[in-house]
Amino acid sequence: EDTWTSLPGLTRPRIGAVAAVLDGTLLVAGGALDGIQQPTRLVEATPLAGAWVRFPSAPAELGEVAAGILGHHLYLVGQGAQATQRLDLRTLRWDPPGSVPARPVDGHHHAAEVVHGRWYLLGGLGGAGGQVQVYDPVTSAWTRGADMPFAAGSSASAVIGGMIYVAGGIIGEHTTAEAARYDPATDTWTPIAPMPWPRNHAASTTDGARLWVFGGRGPGSGDANVVANGYAEVQVYDPAEDRWITSEDPGSTLPRLPQARGGMGKAVYLGGKFWILGGETLDGPGATPERVYTRVDVFDPATGPWGAGTAMPVPRHGIFPLAWAGRILVAAGGVKAARSGSAVFDALLPDPPE
């Protein structure tokens, strides 16, 4: 792509060091601290694959975040501040507060998607239920789109064929199974087949053809916006047939999530695999004392079973993982179950670079 990307710097500045890659790790050895007068024996290692790298912290601690990448910038909003945060992915520097206008309607638990160079916040809790907010980086301005057919927050979403698909979420104190398709070109909504299992706080993404929804909470385990153990079902919507299939269907070959939970934020589809990160629970196994998960679950549809990725260095829920330049970026999110936030920003390179 003829572009440069900044990574975290060395622990100390050095001149004349040597570098090599060994088993997916970048090694830097030797060098001088000041010309040739202070030679050093320092050796540093930075994993290039299968490990997390710490990026510069977000300007504010946020929970229940939504994020999007427009060009070479990452945009971030969430519970804890109405401001829109922006990071230059070329320099890994956050813009000063106020560089980007705040979204018109405060809130949290937004679904979010990028289509045709614009960032769409879809629904949300805290007063944003069902509302559509659109950011255009060219004009650096927010506008409003047509409201969703159902006034939900914490919905699942994905972009398929230039259309935004939204399913489930919380309306008031209950979870809905409603689903709809949004056409950004005409600013119109069309109802689609409802979810077999109503879910909120689920992880969702697309493989390019279908909407995949992993786990989440709902009737019986987190019908309202409360911490619960959640579910492990996998639900898949096919736009071509306007039909859902699930891991619970008779004879289904879809494997359930290895750990039932909600609060994982966006799922990531990268390298032909689905990545489900973090999450929260009421008393599910394997969580931290703060009832948050570090786990990373990986599903390869070509091989079938779930595998384990490198655990997150900081357990979090209410996150919004995104794929960028072969990496998975996770900015902010809660470190304790229920309302909490952080400014932590980590990146995972799942596979060695080619």
Side-chain angles (χ1 to χ4, degrees), residues 19-28 43-49 352:
V21 175
L22 177 65
D23 294 333
T25 298
L26 174 64
L27 302 175
V28 181
V43 178
E44 297 184 49
T46 297
L48 296 179

Side-chain angles (χ1 to χ4, degrees), residues 7-51:
L7 297 176
L10 296 165
T11 58
R12 302 178 70 180
R14 283 186 270 168
I15 299 172
V18 294
V21 175
L22 177 65
D23 294 333
T25 298
L26 174 64
L27 302 175
V28 181
L33 301 180
D34 180 16
I36 60 174
Q37 303 303 317
Q38 299 183 48
T40 136
R41 297 178 180 178
L42 288 173
V43 178
E44 297 184 49
T46 297
L48 296 179

Side-chain angles (χ1 to χ4, degrees), residues 31 55 153 194 216 219 319 350:
F55 277 16
I319 52 179

Side-chain angles (χ1 to χ4, degrees), residues 77-78 81-84 101-108 110 121-134 142-145 147:
V77 296
Q82 189 172 356
T84 305
R103 60 199 187 281
V105 181
D106 198 1
H108 43 85
H110 307 292
L121 299 182
L122 306 143
L125 303 180
Q131 300 188 49
V132 175
Q133 307 178 68
V134 187
W142 289 91
T143 55
R144 297 285 297 277
D147 288 351

Side-chain angles (χ1 to χ4, degrees), residues 4 57 64 72 100 145 230 256 292 329 354:
W4 287 90
S57 298
E64 307 301 346
H72 54 262
V100 181
R256 307 173 91 222
V292 183
L329 308 182
E354 297 180 358

